[in-house]
Structures are given as C-alpha cells and as structure tokens.
Amino acid sequence: MDEQAIYRELRSLGAATVYEAQGAKGAIDSGIKPIDKASRLVGPALTVDTRPADNLMLHYALLKARPGDVLVVDAKGFVEAGPWGDVLTAAAMKRGIAGLVIHGAVRDANAIESMGFPVFCRGLSIKGTGKVHPGKVNVPVCIGDVVIRPGDIIVGDRDGVVVVSADEVSTVLESARAREAKEEAFRLAIEQGASTAELLGLIPTLEALHLR
Amino acid sequence: MDEQAIYRELRSLGAATVYEAQGAKGAIDSGIKPIDKASRLVGPALTVDTRPADNLMLHYALLKARPGDVLVVDAKGFVEAGPWGDVLTAAAMKRGIAGLVIHGAVRDANAIESMGFPVFCRGLSIKGTGKVHPGKVNVPVCIGDVVIRPGDIIVGDRDGVVVVSADEVSTVLESARAREAKEEAFRLAIEQGASTAELLGLIPTLEALHLR
Amino acid sequence: MDEQAIYRELRSLGAATVYEAQGAKGAIDSGIKPIDKASRLVGPALTVDTRPADNLMLHYALLKARPGDVLVVDAKGFVEAGPWGDVLTAAAMKRGIAGLVIHGAVRDANAIESMGFPVFCRGLSIKGTGKVHPGKVNVPVCIGDVVIRPGDIIVGDRDGVVVVSADEVSTVLESARAREAKEEAFRLAIEQGASTAELLGLIPTLEALHLR
Amino acid sequence: MDEQAIYRELRSLGAATVYEAQGAKGAIDSGIKPIDKASRLVGPALTVDTRPADNLMLHYALLKARPGDVLVVDAKGFVEAGPWGDVLTAAAMKRGIAGLVIHGAVRDANAIESMGFPVFCRGLSIKGTGKVHPGKVNVPVCIGDVVIRPGDIIVGDRDGVVVVSADEVSTVLESARAREAKEEAFRLAIEQGASTAELLGLIPTLEALHLR
Amino acid sequence: MDEQAIYRELRSLGAATVYEAQGAKGAIDSGIKPIDKASRLVGPALTVDTRPADNLMLHYALLKARPGDVLVVDAKGFVEAGPWGDVLTAAAMKRGIAGLVIHGAVRDANAIESMGFPVFCRGLSIKGTGKVHPGKVNVPVCIGDVVIRPGDIIVGDRDGVVVVSADEVSTVLESARAREAKEEAFRLAIEQGASTAELLGLIPTLEALHLR
Amino acid sequence: MDEQAIYRELRSLGAATVYEAQGAKGAIDSGIKPIDKASRLVGPALTVDTRPADNLMLHYALLKARPGDVLVVDAKGFVEAGPWGDVLTAAAMKRGIAGLVIHGAVRDANAIESMGFPVFCRGLSIKGTGKVHPGKVNVPVCIGDVVIRPGDIIVGDRDGVVVVSADEVSTVLESARAREAKEEAFRLAIEQGASTAELLGLIPTLEALHLR
C-alpha cells in the first residue's frame, strides 16, 4: 500500500481514532486547533525549532520542504505574534506542502481558509515578527507534551492533532481500521437498542460498584 | 400548559432572557459553550458526578436517562480528555436524550454537530479516558459557580447556559415573556428614535452624575 | 480623498496590513476577536471607560455617538458579565454607529451577528450588569497594551484590531497600499517559483548563519 | 463540646483532613489561597454577594458581622480590583471577625499579614472600587464550584479552603479525628518500614493490574 | 523638596495609596509582582521595548541608564524565557539602577533576592534568550493596560506597580499624604468603635438601598 | 568522580546554569515550581505516567523507587486534586527518595516544607484522588514540552527544573563549570566597571543596528 493511500485513509479515520488505535499516545494538547473546523491534515513532519516572534526559520523551512510535508513549528507557544500569513501560505502551497501545525499564532486567517490550506495553531495575531533569529530544522521538537521527530506522521482535524511514529504507521492504520469497524458495529447495535455499557462490557464493573 | 410547550417557549426565549427573568441568577460561567453555535437546548437535568478522564459514569447515566433529559456532567473542568464522542452521542439520541452539558471536553465535534445533538463543553480533546472510576448520578453538582440539582431545567444557547429550579419554571416563564415583551416594545421605540437611556429611565441617574 | 473612501480602503486592506504599514504598532492583544469571523470594522473611536459589570456608561455613550463612530469600551477585561446585547445593538445601528470593540464580553451573539453589527470582544456572557456606576466618555483608554484616544481610527477583522492615530491616517494608508502592492508582487513571483527567502532578501542572513 | 473548642480542633486538623473526613466534598477550587502561608482560619460564614470592583456591601457586612464570623465574599472572581485593604482589616479585627475568604483580590497584603488577619483570595490588586452597587448579605453564594450558605463552617489553611455544613460539624469532626488517628498510625508503620500500598490495601488492586 | 526625598516618601506611602491619590489611574495589572514580597521600588522609568526571548536591548539599556533609574521592560508578556539574571543584576547595581519592572520573566530569583535588587515580573524561567534583536530605548511602552513614558515615576511594592506622570509627582505626593492622614484618622476612629460605613459616609447610600 | 559528587555539584550550579550548559535545552515550562523557594533537587528520574486525580501509581512507584531517585509524575497537569501529601512524603523519605516533580498539584504543603522534602508542582489542592487507575512506571513522559526518560537527571531549584540525559551528565557538568567560571569572571569585571555589552561582545551588534 503506498504512502498516499495510507495518508488518505488516516485522514478519513480522523485524529481521535488514530490516537486510540496507537495505544492512547501522541496527542498534542487541546489548545492547538484548525482555523477552519473542516480541515483535515495528514503527512510527514518537517520540524522547525524557532524563537517566538521571529520567522526567519519558517522561510528557511520552505526551502527544505518536500511536497506533502507538514510543517510542525515550535514557536514556543507565544500567541502575540503572527509569524505565518497569506504570502507564506501561497509559497507553501506552490511547493505542495500539506499544511502547518504551529505552537503559536498566525495571521490572515480568512485568506488562509479560502485558499484551503490546513493551519493548526493556538490563536490569531496581527503582531509582527523579526527575521533574524537562528533556529533549527528537522530536529525533534516538543509541543503540548508530545515529541515530534522529523518524518513522524501528523494527523489533524477539528478534534485535535496526533503524532504517529513513521515506523508504526502500518500497524496503527490496521489497528485504527479495526477500531473503526468495532465502533461501526457498536453504532448498529445501538440503533437496535443495545446500551454502550453492554457493548463495552461494563456491566460487571458497574455491578461491582453496586451501580445497577 | 404541558412541559413540552414550556420547554419550546424557553428555548425560543433563550438563555440570557431566562437568566434575567429569574432575577439574574443561575448562569454557568462563560467558559462552557455549544460546539455548534446554532444549538439550543432545554430540558430537565440528569446530573453526573465523575472524575476527570474517566467515563464509566457516563455509560451508567445513559442507562438511567429518560427521553428529554439533559445530561449535566461534572468532569471537574479537565479539558485534556474527551470522555464523550460519536458513539455515546448515537446511544444518547437513540434514548431520546436532549443534549449534554459537560464541565470538561468532548471529541468527534464534527460528527456530533452533523448528528444535530446539542453539546455544551469547555473544549475538544482526543485524549482518552478510563472506564473504572465510581461516581454518582442524580446528586447536586456545582459547575461554574452554579448548583445544578437533578430535575432542574437547563436552558442553553450560544450565549451560555442557565439553570432554572424545577418549581420556579412557570413563574420564570411568565417573567421571561414579560421581559421579552418589554424588550420588543423597546425595539419599536428605538426604531422610532427613542434612546435606551430614556427607555430604561436612566436620565435622572445620568443627571445626578452630571452626565448630560 | 474623503474619510469614507479612506475607511473603505482601510477596511479592504485589513488589520494586519495596516498594523505593519504604520511601523508594527497599535495592535490590541490577540484575545479580542469578532463574534462573526466575516466582520470588518473601520471608524473613529468614541471611547468609554467603565467598571466591569455595569453598563450605565454604554447607554450614555449612545447619546453622545455620531454616525460612523466605533464604540471602544474599557470594561476592564471582565468576561463574566454581558453589558451589551441586542437592544443596545438596535439602538446603536439606529444611530449609525459602525461597531463595538469591548474589553469584556457581550450577550445575544446570534442576534447581533444576524443584524450585521460588528462586535469585537473577549467572550460571551449572559450574566447581568448594573446601571449605576459613573465612568467617562472620550478619554484615552488602554486595552490590551494599546492606548486608544478619542478619534483614533479603529481597523478590525478576524485577525484582530489595530488603532491608527487620526493624524497619521493618510500616511498609513499610503504605506499600506505600498505594502499591499509589494505583497501582490510577491504572490506573482511565488506563483512563478520564487522563494520567500529570495523575495525578502533573507539569503545573506541564512548564509551568515550557515543555513543553506 | 463548645463551638470554640470545635473550631480550635478543626483548625488544627486542617483543610485537607476535614475535606476527606466529610466524604471528599466542599472544597473551594485551588485558586483561592491565603496571603500568609501560615494562616489558619475557622469559623461560621457570613456570606456577601457583590459585584466586581465595588465594596459597598463589604462595609455593610461589617455592620452585620458577629465576633468569630468569617466573611465569605463572592466578588465574581475579578482580580483587577482590591475591594479590601488595611482599613477594612482594622475594622474587622475590632469587631472580632475571624477572617476573610474572597472570590477576588485584596490590597495592602503586607499590612494585613503583619496585623495577623487571615485573608484567602485570588490575587493582589491596587486598583480601586466603587461604593454604590447594591448586593446581598447572608444568602447562599457559589464560589469555585462550592455552595456556601450563611452559617456554614469555613476551614482554611495553605492547602486551600473547605466548607462544612453547620449541622454536620460534629460528625465531620469525629470522622476527621479518626482519619488523623489512622494517618498517625500509618506514619508509625511507615517509620517501621511498611509501604503505603500495604497500609492502604492496594496490593490486590496492583496485582489485578499485573503491577508487581 | 528634592527628588530623593520625594521618592523616599512615595516608597513609604506605597503603591495602593499613590494609585488612589492620583485619581485611581496608572496601575499596572495584577500579574506583575515583586519576587521578594518585601521589595519597595521608586524611581524614574528608563523604558525598553524588546521582543520576547531576546535580551540585546537590556544590555544596551544598561549602557544608557543613570543612577536611580528604574528599568521598565516590555518583553511582550512572554514568560517562557528569562532575559534577566544575576549577572545583569550585578551590572545594574554597579550602575546604581534602582530596580526592574519586566512584562516577562527572569531567572536567578534567589540570587537577585539576596542581592537586594527589586525585580517585578510575571514569572521565573530558566529558558534562554538570544542577543540579536533590535528594539527601542526610551520610547513609550504599554504594559498591563498602562502607558509608561520615559521619566514617569514608578512606585512598586507587594501589592503591585503604579505609574505617576513626572509632572504630576508633587501634586500626587500631596494628595497621597492627605489620603494617608485621612486613613490614619479612620484607623483611630475605628479603634474607638466607629464603623467604616459611617466614616466613609455610606449610611445614606445603604438606607436608599433599604440596607439597614 | 562518583554520582553523588556530580549531583552535589549540579545542585550547587543550579537549574539555569545547567540548562544553558547543555545547549539551552531540557527546561520544563515555568509553571512547575518548588513549594519551598529554598528547595534544591538533583537525582535520576523514576518516571510515573498516571491519570489525573488518581494516585494508585504513586503508591506503586514507591515500591519500585531506589534511594536517591526523583519521582517525576505526569498527572496530566490537573491542579484540582492533590494526589501527594504528608503520608506519601514520609514514606518517600523513609525510602531515601530525593524529591518529587509532579505535572499536577499536591496537598499538605506546610508539612512537606517542614519535613524538608523537595516538591515541585503546579499548585496546591486539598481535593481527593481515587486509587484504581492503572498507569505506567519507568516509561518516557512528556511534561511542559520536555521528554523525561527513566534515569534522566533532574536538576531543580526556585527558577525551575531542567532535565539532563544520563549519558551527557559529565559533559554538561564540565560545560556548566566553565560557564560558571565565565560568569564569575564577568562579575569581577563588572565590579571593576565593565559593561555586560562589552563582556558579551555585543558592541559590534549594537553598532550594526546604529545603537550607540
């Protein structure tokens, strides 16, 4: 199965299912969300470690990015600067970059949304940035209590963002499919009147707690 | 007047009007909001007291809920776990549950929104939950500086959520209608050129403060 | 060029461009955002200094406002009260007021959005306010680390709000046009394959940092 | 056993023990803390419901307070005003008031600390308050997800504040003593080498989870 | 009266009294506090406008500072970097600088405290800073909703920080003394049994509200 | 050089110096601080991954800990529960555990402080915890944007906490000594009148920016 097919399927399964499927790990904290709630993003991470309020390294990262990459930028959580906007979005789309996850804020939200480029961030800010600070590209970064290494697979949607280790993608996909199938079976059983407590086998636990 | 008619009218009047009509009390804090800004929710509370990051009691509450109930869940304000998602939503809708208010986060926001189930929460999280912690159902809970007792009537919309004591519903409804009528009269007078200061009788106050 | 034409052009240029065009100053912090993400607001400030949870001065300000004014209200950042709602919106629109920026919260968000009145705020709250506290109108106020003096020009959109000194508006507009033209040229060059690092002249900086 | 003796013993047992002793309920959220970490406060609540940034009702409450009362003030969580300072502290001490718990901020922290008056608050602010807003004294208030009714017993120390229903004080005291005795026995056993897992009977749980 | 005598007296009066004495204005928000609760700081501001996580401008400001100056640094509120530590403190003390107010964080808190240098900040961080970003010295800065111009007088203590316009210092001092004298009289009257409601003339207000 | 000597020296150098010495990496965010500002903590991490509001795994970790270990507990940042208190402290001290770093809150702060056990946490809470949730011991955890692996060396003091990879400790120590020596030389030069700008070689940068 080729990468693109895997990514398409992960995109369709969604972040919550992938998170559970890989053993409830790899979720970025709940403060990073897409500016367009319909956004769905999947691809390998090109990581960027930069200071807050400076975007030199973002311009540099665009020179290094390959089509399909997801830029994952550790801007240190600072939300009073918008180091990414519509011009960078245009340049990123031209290079075929899949989307942006930034531990910080962006500007030009409406333009970005209408261009259809998935951006996951902590906020929107019009405040400016310098273009002088050195930083690093393709080193492990740590955002929202999760490590993201270059090449890790990013899966994001309205619910949040999860990071999958590149060498676990096939296993995780299989497990996610199984989980999705199980949930689909649950939905059918629920439609026919089953309770979630029965489906999940929680009745013994409830009885042990004298909850009946 | 039957309950359903009362609920329909409270839904149409909205949370802010109901809050004022009952003497400016019973409003949950501003951090709990609907995931769909068009949501409107009214119904009697089935309360749930649970620990953060565990949803055993949510599954239990579904066994106890009656059609029309609003689940009101004190998950201790923790937003880094999503103890409610699309499967629980499907089960809740199958039972005729009216909606969910949770002092915590949920997942599967887009699915929930498309299913048309009103969910009021503090955030969205893909992070998982256990299914082992005991808790309580139908005890008073305290969320956002408001007490909610089992059977209290919940009224929620984009502006927020207000709690009405079950035995005050008729009085509150009457008062809310009167308030709405007065505001409607205000709108007409404003359309004809009146100022809000005149309509609310604030001119003497302003004059006493030498504000003219 | 008349004021209205200037305002139309600033509205179209947007807050981020105007902020940069005036030398990266005057941006209110990122916590104040429009309730309708499509809102665009431009006009001279009528400033209001009021205590939290009291709207006497808002009613007073409406008596003083002129068509086209933007109400800029320092309500001290308190988000657990909604001193502005649909009735005040109707009165403000009747007087031709252009919009509201409030360091605090409002209520009746859906009604305000459907009336098409631009409101920029920190949150939504149904909680009530008194109508007794004195305050001041048309004095300098300080919100989100920016001073706003009466008559300053407010420019707001989804990305945020920026304040332009009245006597700098012409210069800022010119500079904003130049910036927009430059960005348009960038977009064309990007379309033809140029990198942002080249366009912004960052190659020497990157080389000096051994980033190539 | 007289009230004063009960209060002295509750003071010595401390907030955490009392909280557990009454069934893990009644704790105000962790954001309200003493300005002096050595403070210990016990007494019946005189509740005050006031608007933020106005202290008329605090002056009124002093007229109503009896020796030994604890003022419990719902100032709506607003921390950018300091409605209580050294003059009010002097007046409160003159009347024999036991201390203050405020859902808001105070000023004159060093003076208050040196006067030895226990104050539990959310912050320190020099910003001023009005003296015009009506409010209520001796009504139930809801702070930090806890209801406090007039006469409820407040127990506070560095760890936090817990509220005990007046009619449960004797039972809670007895239970707190038992808990303290048990913990004392634990400390002795620990000194002699016992593990907390053994003392609390957690070995079977750990074994069931294959944690050995 | 010479400047030093004025500063000594303002230091002794404290931030809350000075704030009230100048008409309840000029207070920085409650989030900036001294690292040593015994700190008292008074002096004219040398302002610094810098980016977050870069301290080039702090080193530059030391070259420009005169004995007695208070460094007032707008580091954009970012608390995940400590651009000031013990070496800068030693250099500042050598130049006779009076203290530091920073809209950001510092490091080496214990060393700074033991050196006796007053530092007011938003937090403590060990994270590092660059030394490359341009900025400005002696321009107006806006911190915590207050403008500070070069030469404005800073008064800070445990309760917070207030800014006095240089040309209003004499008037404010006089007014602060009067206020302090009045409060002293209040304290005496309270000692003799007067209520604060009487002393502040609040009885008519309370009666008008039927509060007696 | 034996481990204990290394730890003693790291303790004396402090968190900020160690952070810089290892290349400005490994610092936990600024929200985790010691409850006693005089605390200094150094030792190898025994990591614990647990759910919020449950301390089963803390009791388990005590069974596994060796003398000198630092417990590093990922309690998911939840501050409305205190899963660690004086009994656990007594048990930990009995086993020779060096201290605790917890992504969450604790209780019994005064007792812990007087026992002299270093605890670094996000807050204080009296609220209770369950003892039922499975978790993991000695797996990598991610707290405050830093990964901590079992055996990593923790260095904490009032300024914050930094994590050193076990296999880099010798190099980091050497580098930290060099840094400390350099800072000591700076202090001497400063005492003799040198500026920090000169000492750090910033004059060319300032001149290039026309700052002189």
Side-chain angles (χ1 to χ4, degrees):
Chain A
M1 191 174 178
D2 73 12
E3 273 180 7
Q4 293 311 313
I6 291 175
Y7 295 167
R8 271 194 306 276
E9 196 168 348
L10 290 174
R11 180 183 290 107
S12 144
L13 287 160
T17 295
V18 171
Y19 163 83
E20 294 287 358
Q22 73 174 339
K25 67 177 187 187
I28 291 183
D29 75 89
S30 69
I32 291 190
K33 287 289 185 287
I35 59 180
D36 179 350
K37 68 185 184 187
S39 286
R40 285 178 168 264
L41 172 64
V42 179
L46 185 165
T47 60
V48 184
D49 185 3
T50 181
R51 290 199 189 268
D54 194 290
N55 68 3
L56 178 65
M57 295 312 295
L58 294 178
H59 294 285
Y60 179 65
L62 285 194
L63 300 176
K64 300 293 165 188
R66 290 161 309 179
D69 279 355
V70 173
L71 297 183
V72 176
V73 180
D74 180 3
K76 307 299 174 282
F78 187 62
V79 296
E80 293 300 331
W84 182 276
D86 57 1
V87 171
L88 275 163
T89 300
M93 295 181 79
K94 178 72 181 178
R95 290 190 80 92
I97 292 172
L100 169 72
V101 176
I102 184 166
H103 185 26
V106 305
R107 57 172 73 177
D108 300 328
N110 281 339
I112 292 172
E113 198 170 308
S114 70
M115 293 161 88
F117 185 74
V119 170
F120 291 69
C121 59
R122 293 207 184 274
L124 303 179
S125 172
I126 59 175
K127 289 187 191 165
T129 56
K131 296 181 195 316
V132 302
H133 250 302
K136 289 171 192 157
V137 161
N138 278 333
V139 293
V141 295
C142 204
I143 296 177
D145 293 345
V146 173
V147 184
I148 302 113
R149 289 158 304 175
D152 280 352
I153 307 306
I154 304 298
V155 181
D157 59 25
R158 183 179 178 189
D159 290 329
V161 179
V162 65
V163 181
V164 181
S165 178
D167 56 8
E168 296 177 10
V169 158
S170 304
T171 329
V172 171
L173 177 56
E174 214 163 318
S175 164
R177 279 178 195 150
R179 188 178 160 88
E180 185 55 32
K182 192 168 143 197
E183 291 210 343
E184 190 51 34
F186 283 0
R187 284 188 206 96
L188 285 173
I190 285 165
E191 194 46 46
Q192 289 157 6
S195 72
T196 56
E198 289 166 315
L199 292 169
L200 292 161
L202 300 176
I203 304 295
T205 306
L206 291 171
E207 284 179 341
L209 295 167
H210 308 293
L211 293 167
R212 279 317 292 273
Chain B
M1 189 174 182
D2 72 13
E3 272 180 8
Q4 293 312 311
I6 291 175
Y7 296 167
R8 272 194 305 274
E9 197 169 348
L10 289 174
R11 181 183 288 109
S12 144
L13 287 160
T17 294
V18 170
Y19 163 83
E20 294 287 356
Q22 74 174 341
K25 68 176 187 190
I28 291 183
D29 77 87
S30 67
I32 292 189
K33 288 287 184 288
I35 58 179
D36 178 349
K37 69 186 184 186
S39 286
R40 286 178 168 266
L41 172 64
V42 179
L46 185 164
T47 61
V48 183
D49 185 4
T50 182
R51 288 199 191 267
D54 193 290
N55 68 5
L56 178 65
M57 295 311 295
L58 293 178
H59 294 283
Y60 179 63
L62 284 195
L63 300 177
K64 299 296 165 186
R66 290 160 310 179
D69 280 355
V70 173
L71 297 183
V72 176
V73 180
D74 181 3
K76 307 298 175 284
F78 187 62
V79 297
E80 294 299 332
W84 182 276
D86 57 1
V87 170
L88 276 165
T89 298
M93 294 183 80
K94 178 72 182 177
R95 290 190 79 89
I97 291 173
L100 170 72
V101 176
I102 184 166
H103 185 29
V106 304
R107 58 171 75 177
D108 300 328
N110 281 338
I112 293 173
E113 198 169 306
S114 71
M115 293 161 89
F117 186 72
V119 169
F120 291 68
C121 59
R122 293 205 184 275
L124 304 179
S125 172
I126 58 175
K127 291 190 191 164
T129 57
K131 296 181 196 315
V132 301
H133 251 300
K136 290 171 191 157
V137 160
N138 277 332
V139 293
V141 295
C142 204
I143 297 176
D145 293 346
V146 172
V147 184
I148 302 112
R149 288 159 304 178
D152 281 351
I153 306 306
I154 304 299
V155 181
D157 58 25
R158 183 178 176 189
D159 290 330
V161 179
V162 66
V163 181
V164 181
S165 177
D167 56 8
E168 295 178 12
V169 157
S170 304
T171 329
V172 170
L173 178 56
E174 213 164 317
S175 165
R177 279 177 194 150
R179 187 178 160 90
E180 184 55 31
K182 194 167 139 196
E183 290 210 343
E184 189 52 34
F186 282 1
R187 283 186 206 98
L188 285 174
I190 283 165
E191 193 48 44
Q192 288 156 6
S195 71
T196 56
E198 288 167 315
L199 292 170
L200 292 161
L202 300 175
I203 305 295
T205 306
L206 291 171
E207 285 179 339
L209 295 168
H210 309 293
L211 293 167
R212 277 319 289 272
Chain C
M1 190 175 179
D2 74 11
E3 272 179 7
Q4 293 312 311
I6 291 174
Y7 295 167
R8 273 194 304 275
E9 197 169 346
L10 289 174
R11 181 183 290 106
S12 145
L13 288 160
T17 295
V18 170
Y19 163 82
E20 293 287 357
Q22 72 175 341
K25 67 176 188 190
I28 291 182
D29 75 88
S30 68
I32 292 190
K33 287 287 185 289
I35 57 179
D36 179 349
K37 70 185 184 188
S39 286
R40 286 177 167 264
L41 172 64
V42 179
L46 186 163
T47 60
V48 184
D49 185 5
T50 182
R51 287 197 193 269
D54 193 290
N55 68 4
L56 178 65
M57 296 312 295
L58 293 179
H59 295 283
Y60 179 64
L62 285 194
L63 300 176
K64 299 295 165 186
R66 290 161 308 179
D69 279 356
V70 173
L71 297 183
V72 177
V73 180
D74 181 3
K76 306 300 174 283
F78 187 63
V79 297
E80 292 300 331
W84 182 276
D86 58 1
V87 171
L88 275 164
T89 299
M93 293 182 81
K94 178 71 182 178
R95 289 189 81 92
I97 291 173
L100 170 73
V101 176
I102 184 166
H103 185 28
V106 305
R107 57 172 75 176
D108 299 329
N110 281 339
I112 292 173
E113 198 169 306
S114 70
M115 293 162 88
F117 185 73
V119 169
F120 291 69
C121 58
R122 292 207 184 274
L124 303 179
S125 171
I126 59 176
K127 290 189 191 163
T129 56
K131 296 179 196 318
V132 303
H133 252 301
K136 288 171 193 156
V137 161
N138 277 331
V139 293
V141 295
C142 204
I143 298 176
D145 294 345
V146 173
V147 184
I148 302 113
R149 288 158 305 176
D152 280 352
I153 306 307
I154 304 300
V155 181
D157 58 25
R158 183 178 177 190
D159 290 328
V161 179
V162 64
V163 181
V164 182
S165 177
D167 56 8
E168 295 178 10
V169 158
S170 304
T171 329
V172 170
L173 177 55
E174 215 164 315
S175 162
R177 279 177 194 152
R179 188 179 160 87
E180 184 57 32
K182 194 168 140 196
E183 291 209 342
E184 189 51 36
F186 283 0
R187 283 186 206 99
L188 286 172
I190 285 165
E191 194 45 46
Q192 289 157 6
S195 72
T196 56
E198 288 166 316
L199 293 170
L200 292 161
L202 300 175
I203 304 296
T205 306
L206 291 171
E207 285 179 341
L209 295 167
H210 308 293
L211 294 166
R212 278 316 292 273
Chain D
M1 190 174 180
D2 73 12
E3 272 181 6
Q4 293 311 312
I6 292 175
Y7 296 168
R8 270 194 307 274
E9 196 169 346
L10 290 174
R11 181 183 290 108
S12 145
L13 287 160
T17 294
V18 171
Y19 162 82
E20 294 287 356
Q22 73 173 340
K25 69 177 184 187
I28 292 183
D29 75 87
S30 67
I32 291 190
K33 287 290 184 289
I35 58 180
D36 179 350
K37 68 186 185 186
S39 286
R40 285 179 167 265
L41 172 64
V42 179
L46 185 163
T47 60
V48 184
D49 185 4
T50 181
R51 288 196 191 271
D54 193 291
N55 68 3
L56 178 65
M57 295 312 294
L58 293 179
H59 295 283
Y60 179 64
L62 284 195
L63 300 177
K64 299 294 165 189
R66 290 161 309 180
D69 279 356
V70 173
L71 297 183
V72 177
V73 180
D74 181 4
K76 306 298 173 285
F78 186 61
V79 296
E80 294 299 330
W84 182 276
D86 58 1
V87 171
L88 276 164
T89 299
M93 293 182 81
K94 178 73 183 175
R95 290 189 80 92
I97 292 172
L100 170 72
V101 176
I102 184 166
H103 186 27
V106 304
R107 57 170 78 176
D108 300 328
N110 281 339
I112 292 172
E113 198 169 305
S114 69
M115 294 161 87
F117 186 74
V119 169
F120 291 69
C121 58
R122 292 206 184 274
L124 303 179
S125 172
I126 59 175
K127 290 188 191 166
T129 55
K131 297 179 194 318
V132 303
H133 251 301
K136 288 171 194 156
V137 161
N138 278 332
V139 293
V141 295
C142 205
I143 296 177
D145 293 346
V146 174
V147 184
I148 302 114
R149 289 157 305 175
D152 280 352
I153 307 307
I154 304 299
V155 181
D157 58 25
R158 182 178 178 189
D159 290 331
V161 180
V162 65
V163 181
V164 181
S165 179
D167 55 7
E168 296 177 11
V169 158
S170 305
T171 330
V172 170
L173 177 56
E174 214 164 316
S175 163
R177 279 177 196 152
R179 188 178 161 86
E180 184 56 31
K182 193 167 142 196
E183 292 210 341
E184 190 50 35
F186 282 1
R187 282 187 206 98
L188 286 173
I190 284 166
E191 194 46 44
Q192 289 157 4
S195 71
T196 56
E198 289 166 316
L199 293 170
L200 293 160
L202 301 175
I203 305 295
T205 307
L206 291 171
E207 285 179 341
L209 296 167
H210 308 293
L211 294 167
R212 277 320 289 272
Chain E
M1 192 173 180
D2 73 12
E3 272 180 6
Q4 293 311 312
I6 291 176
Y7 296 168
R8 273 194 303 275
E9 198 170 344
L10 290 174
R11 180 183 291 109
S12 144
L13 288 160
T17 295
V18 170
Y19 163 82
E20 294 287 356
Q22 72 173 342
K25 67 176 187 190
I28 291 182
D29 75 88
S30 68
I32 292 190
K33 286 290 186 287
I35 58 179
D36 179 349
K37 71 186 182 184
S39 286
R40 285 179 169 264
L41 172 64
V42 179
L46 185 164
T47 60
V48 184
D49 185 4
T50 183
R51 287 196 192 271
D54 192 291
N55 68 4
L56 178 65
M57 296 312 295
L58 293 179
H59 294 285
Y60 179 63
L62 284 194
L63 300 176
K64 299 294 165 187
R66 290 161 310 180
D69 279 355
V70 173
L71 298 184
V72 177
V73 180
D74 180 4
K76 306 298 174 285
F78 186 61
V79 298
E80 293 299 333
W84 182 276
D86 57 2
V87 172
L88 276 164
T89 299
M93 293 183 81
K94 178 72 181 177
R95 292 190 78 92
I97 292 173
L100 170 71
V101 176
I102 184 166
H103 186 27
V106 304
R107 59 171 75 176
D108 299 328
N110 281 340
I112 293 173
E113 200 170 305
S114 69
M115 293 162 88
F117 187 72
V119 169
F120 291 68
C121 58
R122 292 206 184 275
L124 302 179
S125 172
I126 58 175
K127 289 188 192 164
T129 55
K131 295 179 197 316
V132 303
H133 251 301
K136 286 171 194 158
V137 162
N138 278 330
V139 294
V141 296
C142 205
I143 297 176
D145 292 347
V146 173
V147 183
I148 301 115
R149 290 158 306 177
D152 280 352
I153 307 306
I154 304 300
V155 181
D157 59 24
R158 183 177 177 190
D159 290 330
V161 180
V162 64
V163 182
V164 182
S165 177
D167 56 8
E168 294 178 12
V169 158
S170 304
T171 329
V172 170
L173 176 56
E174 215 164 315
S175 164
R177 280 177 195 152
R179 188 179 160 86
E180 185 55 31
K182 195 168 141 196
E183 291 210 342
E184 190 51 35
F186 282 2
R187 282 186 207 100
L188 285 173
I190 285 165
E191 194 46 44
Q192 289 158 6
S195 72
T196 55
E198 287 166 316
L199 292 169
L200 292 162
L202 300 175
I203 305 296
T205 307
L206 291 171
E207 285 179 341
L209 295 167
H210 308 292
L211 294 166
R212 276 318 290 274
Chain F
M1 191 173 179
D2 74 11
E3 273 181 7
Q4 294 311 312
I6 291 175
Y7 296 168
R8 272 195 304 276
E9 196 169 348
L10 290 174
R11 182 183 289 110
S12 146
L13 288 161
T17 294
V18 171
Y19 163 82
E20 293 288 357
Q22 74 174 339
K25 67 176 187 189
I28 291 182
D29 75 270
S30 67
I32 291 190
K33 287 290 185 286
I35 60 179
D36 179 348
K37 70 185 183 188
S39 286
R40 284 177 170 266
L41 172 63
V42 179
L46 185 164
T47 61
V48 184
D49 185 5
T50 181
R51 289 199 191 268
D54 194 288
N55 67 5
L56 178 64
M57 295 312 294
L58 293 178
H59 295 283
Y60 179 64
L62 285 194
L63 299 177
K64 299 294 166 189
R66 290 161 309 179
D69 279 357
V70 174
L71 297 183
V72 177
V73 181
D74 181 4
K76 306 299 171 286
F78 186 62
V79 297
E80 294 298 332
W84 182 276
D86 57 1
V87 171
L88 275 164
T89 299
M93 292 181 81
K94 178 72 180 175
R95 290 189 79 91
I97 291 173
L100 170 71
V101 176
I102 183 166
H103 185 29
V106 305
R107 57 171 75 176
D108 300 327
N110 281 338
I112 292 172
E113 198 169 306
S114 70
M115 294 162 87
F117 185 73
V119 169
F120 292 69
C121 58
R122 294 206 183 276
L124 304 179
S125 172
I126 59 176
K127 291 188 191 165
T129 55
K131 298 181 195 316
V132 302
H133 251 301
K136 287 170 193 157
V137 161
N138 276 332
V139 292
V141 296
C142 205
I143 297 177
D145 293 346
V146 174
V147 184
I148 302 113
R149 289 157 304 175
D152 281 351
I153 307 306
I154 304 298
V155 181
D157 59 24
R158 182 177 178 191
D159 290 328
V161 180
V162 64
V163 181
V164 181
S165 178
D167 55 8
E168 295 178 12
V169 158
S170 305
T171 329
V172 170
L173 177 55
E174 212 164 318
S175 163
R177 279 176 196 153
R179 189 180 159 87
E180 185 55 32
K182 193 168 143 196
E183 290 210 344
E184 190 51 34
F186 283 1
R187 283 187 206 100
L188 286 173
I190 285 165
E191 194 46 45
Q192 289 158 5
S195 72
T196 56
E198 287 166 316
L199 292 170
L200 292 161
L202 300 175
I203 305 296
T205 307
L206 291 171
E207 284 179 341
L209 295 166
H210 307 294
L211 292 167
R212 277 319 289 273

